[in-house]
Amino acid sequence: MRKLDSKVPPGPLAEKWVKYRSTMPLVAPNNKRRLDVIVVGTGLAGASAAATLGELGYNVSCFTFHDSPRRAHSIAAQGGINAAKNYRNDGDSVYRLFYDTIKGGDYRSREANVHRLAEASTDIIDQCVAQGVPFAREYGGELSTRSFGGVQVSRTFYARGQTGQQLLLGAYSALSRQISLGNVSMYNRHEMLDLVVVDGKARGIIARNLLNGKIERYAAHAVVLGTGGYGNVYYLSTNAMGCNVSAAWRAHRRGAYFANPCYCQIHPTCIPVSGDYQSKLTLMSESLRNDGRVWVPKEMAMVEKLRKGEVKPENVAEEDRDYYLERIYPAFGNLVPRDVASRAAKYVCDEGRGVGPTGLSVYLDFATNTMRYGRSVAISKGQPDASEAKIRQWGKEVVSAKYGNLFEMYEKITGENPYETPMRIYPAIHYTMGGLWVDYNLETTIPGLFALGECNFSDHGANRLGASALMQGLADGYFVIPYTIGTFLADEIRTPRISPEQAAFDQAENEVKDRIEKLLSIQGNRSVESFHRELGVDIMWEYCGMARNADGLKTAQQKVRKLRDEFWKNVFVPGAANEYNPELEKALRVADFFELAEVMIMDALDRKESCGGHFRDEYATSEGEAQRNDKEYAYVAAWEFKGPGQAELHKEELTFENVELKTRSYK
């Protein structure tokens, strides 16, 4: 077993990053112009990294499989971005954000990385405001914040329900400036299909031009991946349909360890599955739990009346409602972390009290806070005795100003007006905390290969706090990698420009072409989509989803292997290699999902405890809460590729010097 060096600098936690930045190797401006860097991905992590590295003077080549960088999935993030600004004077601080993140991740993340993230959070807001991101503001002009799950302060900055979109447009504007100056070369509609390693260092990529199918080589002194997570292994998820694991997985096959793959976040506020025709799920923002109350009927008799349409949910009396999150977790109520809220929803639905046609949903109700807002408006207008109808109307206007686009989206999808009747929600796969293992420099186990944002494992432990994904992506891209990439490139200033005409590039390109040719030659009887759905819905969600157990995971292992064998014998991929062929793109990605799925199951089987997004039925308290085993499992599980379905486990022991390891409690 290899000992993993996290390269965390010595010294007090609050001083590590400041001192490290002041003493790490640097690359002089005149030498930056001699160094080439490839950035794959143009979400918040990739776009901010490419823009900043270009601004510093590196020669950057940036790749996205989208038609435009601004189509990256970061655009879908709705609710907000965390920062320890303490504008509300409610007790927030860098340490409290650090602590909330460590605790929210169920004590399975690296202290030093998380504290650095909390430190960078305050700079992110200033950076984005300077770029023109239209954050919501109070009447006096100060930036507004709201609450999110897992915390007791209001630290989430937002732009209505479009925060990800606005932040990505800010990063895209910075990237566009560097493209116009010639510091960044942009390659749209190009997908990375392999990593090229020369003499043990990452030196380039093999990419496919998705418009004409041409396989192309690109060389550089270092490669940076910002390619997102792997939630689409479950087929139905809140991710865009194009989201995949292939860039990270190809790097994994070349020697980059994959860490904590079993940590997958189930988001509690998703529009429920409505039928087999669906290819993805739609998320209702985490921010809605700030003003919505989650409930199900107390008694089965009321459940039956609701399902038969004899009673409308808005007409259910208060005494007949079970606000179960408020009942079980009084200190946090509806704002418990996502994994806790998701499991609680599963429990009440397993009891038979779930609502909707399938019984797999709960209500998210805004009636209480709508009236509270309305009364506040009435008092401010000097009309405390206004009618209930008028108060409700004023309250709706306040709710609309905060969440209007989300309510519109819900009504378009479901045909139900959430201003009049409670939303129906149910947990779904959302974010993945696992990813490529990286050290403090965000460098993988392959020298010269760096991984940012959701592509790496480093900051969120076993469960990500809401509104922290955008924070990590921008922190890594704007404020971490511009420094830490210098620790590698400072030794490369005498290295000539990397030539793509080398044996390693020949080998990687030939392997890509062989894989494509093999997929096209099978000409079987099943579509790629059918294999993906069976893998994700029938196997991964069923046996390695919201809850897992040893027997189910072993069953899943056998089923995945059997289905993978059938895929390589019976998949049908139409078209040719040298043309626009989205079915071929999909087939390549699903092939990687099969290999990832096996390692996810291995990791879940190996971790005999429950923590965060990994819940084993065998390891639960008498109250149904996660039961960690800190004595044996307080480590990062980093898996080394040894062939399809084969991996070797390496461990990075986690040490906690600044927080006390204890059972999470939100009661």
Side-chain angles (χ1 to χ4, degrees):
M1 183 183 295
R2 173 179 172 182
K3 180 176 173 55
L4 293 169
D5 182 6
S6 63
K7 297 181 181 176
V8 172
L13 183 67
E15 299 176 11
K16 289 181 186 291
W17 179 233
V18 174
K19 288 186 176 180
Y20 187 56
R21 283 186 304 178
S22 302
T23 57
M24 64 172 54
L26 296 177
V27 179
N30 59 312
N31 286 326
K32 288 187 175 80
R33 294 191 289 270
R34 301 165 57 183
L35 295 170
D36 302 321
V37 179
I38 285 173
V39 177
V40 184
T42 58
L44 288 181
S48 59
T52 309
L53 294 173
E55 182 75 39
L56 287 173
Y58 293 107
N59 302 309
V60 179
S61 297
C62 189
F63 295 80
T64 177
F65 63 68
H66 295 292
D67 54 358
S68 167
R70 64 181 182 273
R71 297 272 292 175
H73 189 58
S74 298
I75 205 169
Q78 301 163 336
I81 177 172
N82 288 331
K85 285 287 197 181
N86 195 29
Y87 282 170
R88 292 291 184 94
N89 198 28
D90 56 0
D92 201 11
S93 65
V94 166
Y95 181 85
R96 190 176 292 277
L97 175 53
F98 155 75
Y99 178 78
D100 286 344
T101 305
I102 290 283
K103 178 184 176 183
D106 220 350
Y107 303 92
R108 289 294 178 263
S109 47
R110 190 189 291 151
E111 279 191 341
N113 287 64
V114 176
H115 196 277
R116 177 174 64 187
L117 175 64
E119 290 176 69
S121 70
T122 58
D123 294 329
I124 293 169
I125 302 302
D126 296 339
Q127 170 91 1
C128 294
V129 169
Q131 290 175 336
V133 174
F135 287 119
R137 293 179 181 269
E138 303 290 354
Y139 178 76
E142 190 173 72
L143 296 183
S144 180
T145 58
R146 56 191 177 197
S147 301
F148 255 59
V151 304
Q152 292 178 306
V153 296
S154 181
R155 66 160 68 101
T156 303
F157 295 78
Y158 63 98
R160 212 180 183 195
Q162 306 170 350
T163 313
Q165 178 179 1
Q166 298 303 328
L167 290 173
L168 187 60
L169 288 173
Y172 174 65
S173 67
L175 176 60
S176 295
R177 177 174 181 270
Q178 295 307 310
I179 294 171
S180 70
L181 293 173
N183 298 328
V184 176
S185 299
M186 191 68 232
Y187 295 88
N188 299 341
R189 302 297 288 152
H190 280 69
E191 182 165 19
M192 172 183 162
L193 295 184
D194 213 340
L195 178 75
V196 181
V197 179
V198 179
D199 297 329
K201 297 178 181 180
R203 292 304 199 191
I205 65 171
I206 304 298
R208 181 171 180 267
N209 184 322
L210 300 182
L211 296 179
N212 58 26
K214 184 180 178 183
I215 304 300
E216 300 171 356
R217 307 176 179 189
Y218 296 92
H221 294 89
V223 177
V224 177
L225 300 183
T227 51
Y230 50 89
N232 270 357
V233 68
Y234 290 91
Y235 186 76
L236 288 179
S237 80
T238 65
N239 291 189
M241 290 175 64
C243 293
N244 63 86
V245 75
S246 285
W249 195 255
R250 292 290 118 190
H252 172 59
R253 289 178 63 104
R254 292 292 179 189
Y257 292 1
F258 210 96
N260 296 338
C262 76
Y263 290 158
C264 300
Q265 184 170 82
I266 315 291
H267 198 295
T269 56
C270 182
I271 296 178
V273 176
S274 57
D276 292 341
Y277 58 85
Q278 282 183 272
S279 55
K280 76 174 299 293
L281 298 174
T282 303
L283 178 69
M284 289 288 99
S285 170
E286 172 92 344
S287 62
L288 296 178
R289 288 201 285 147
N290 183 45
D291 281 319
R293 301 178 72 192
V294 180
W295 65 275
V296 291
K298 286 182 179 179
E299 305 295 338
M300 282 302 301
M302 183 58 70
V303 173
E304 294 299 327
K305 288 181 180 180
L306 286 165
R307 290 180 184 171
K308 292 176 181 177
E310 296 175 1
V311 177
K312 292 184 177 180
E314 60 268 31
N315 295 330
V316 175
E318 282 291 304
E319 60 267 22
D320 293 328
R321 300 180 179 196
D322 178 14
Y323 294 98
Y324 59 89
L325 291 178
E326 299 171 36
R327 171 174 56 82
I328 302 171
Y329 307 102
F332 283 73
N334 297 296
L335 290 175
V336 293
R338 291 174 175 178
D339 62 318
V340 177
S342 295
R343 280 196 296 276
K346 181 180 186 298
Y347 290 153
V348 295
C349 290
D350 288 348
E351 290 172 1
R353 293 192 290 144
V355 298
T358 64
L360 293 177
S361 55
V362 299
Y363 289 127
L364 181 61
D365 196 327
F366 287 81
T368 300
N369 279 327
T370 296
M371 294 302 291
R372 180 174 64 85
Y373 285 131
R375 291 189 188 98
S376 179
V377 173
I379 292 171
S380 70
K381 290 177 176 289
Q383 301 180 43
D385 298 324
S387 68
E388 185 172 306
K390 193 64 178 175
I391 288 173
R392 184 178 291 107
Q393 180 57 39
W394 283 331
K396 286 180 181 178
E397 291 172 3
V398 175
V399 171
S400 177
K402 297 177 72 173
Y403 311 113
N405 62 312
L406 299 173
F407 278 48
E408 291 168 11
M409 182 168 65
Y410 180 87
E411 185 170 8
K412 285 181 179 178
I413 292 171
T414 66
E416 299 173 357
N417 182 351
Y419 292 105
E420 304 296 336
T421 190
M423 289 183 179
R424 286 185 298 108
I425 58 170
Y426 192 69
I429 287 290
H430 178 55
Y431 188 92
T432 51
M433 285 73 67
L436 293 178
W437 183 91
V438 293
D439 61 20
Y440 192 70
N441 294 324
L442 304 184
E443 190 171 20
T444 70
T445 47
I446 300 176
L449 176 67
F450 297 80
L452 317 182
E454 192 179 359
C455 183
N456 73 34
F457 86 97
S458 69
D459 292 358
H460 305 299
N463 171 63
R464 177 177 66 81
L465 287 179
S468 287
L470 306 184
M471 177 175 62
Q472 187 206 353
L474 291 180
D476 287 356
Y478 283 138
F479 299 111
V480 179
I481 195 64
Y483 286 97
T484 61
I485 199 171
T487 61
F488 174 79
L489 291 177
D491 293 328
E492 298 292 327
I493 58 176
R494 290 185 175 85
T495 302
R497 177 156 286 179
I498 306 299
S499 170
E501 305 303 321
Q502 300 184 55
F505 283 86
D506 293 339
Q507 179 185 347
E509 181 178 332
N510 288 335
E511 289 178 8
V512 166
K513 289 179 176 178
D514 289 345
R515 193 161 70 251
I516 290 173
E517 185 58 39
K518 183 176 181 181
L519 282 168
L520 291 170
S521 67
I522 297 170
Q523 294 294 296
N525 298 315
R526 286 188 62 178
S527 68
V528 176
E529 195 82 358
S530 71
F531 279 105
H532 192 186
R533 173 177 276 278
E534 185 173 347
L535 170 67
V537 177
D538 298 343
I539 302 176
M540 295 304 290
W541 178 252
E542 180 68 23
Y543 300 105
C544 193
M546 216 178 323
R548 301 100 185 254
N549 58 62
D551 290 341
L553 289 167
K554 290 172 183 175
T555 298
Q557 215 166 27
Q558 296 170 356
K559 286 179 175 289
V560 168
R561 288 170 180 168
K562 182 179 179 182
L563 189 63
R564 187 189 68 198
D565 290 344
E566 184 186 352
F567 175 85
W568 285 105
K569 294 175 182 176
N570 198 32
V571 72
F572 174 67
V573 182
N578 57 346
E579 64 182 10
Y580 173 69
N581 191 342
E583 283 300 301
L584 175 59
E585 299 169 33
K586 193 184 302 180
L588 289 163
R589 297 166 187 169
V590 172
D592 290 331
F593 277 141
F594 272 111
E595 294 183 5
L596 165 70
E598 287 201 68
V599 180
M600 289 173 65
I601 295 166
M602 278 186 221
D603 194 37
L605 266 172
D606 181 77
R607 190 168 287 276
K608 296 178 177 62
E609 65 166 353
S610 291
C611 55
H614 168 67
F615 190 83
R616 288 278 297 267
D617 292 331
E618 310 98 311
Y619 307 103
T621 68
S622 59
E623 297 178 323
E625 304 290 350
Q627 189 173 67
R628 292 198 326 264
N629 181 348
D630 296 329
K631 185 177 180 180
E632 297 182 59
Y633 293 98
Y635 61 76
V636 176
W639 296 88
E640 180 183 5
F641 183 78
K642 292 293 185 178
Q646 302 175 55
E648 180 181 348
L649 174 62
H650 304 270
K651 300 177 182 179
E652 178 200 340
E653 299 297 333
L654 292 171
T655 57
F656 296 90
E657 301 171 352
N658 299 274
V659 297
E660 179 187 355
L661 268 176
K662 56 185 180 181
T663 301
R664 285 193 305 171
S665 175
Y666 294 94
K667 297 182 178 181

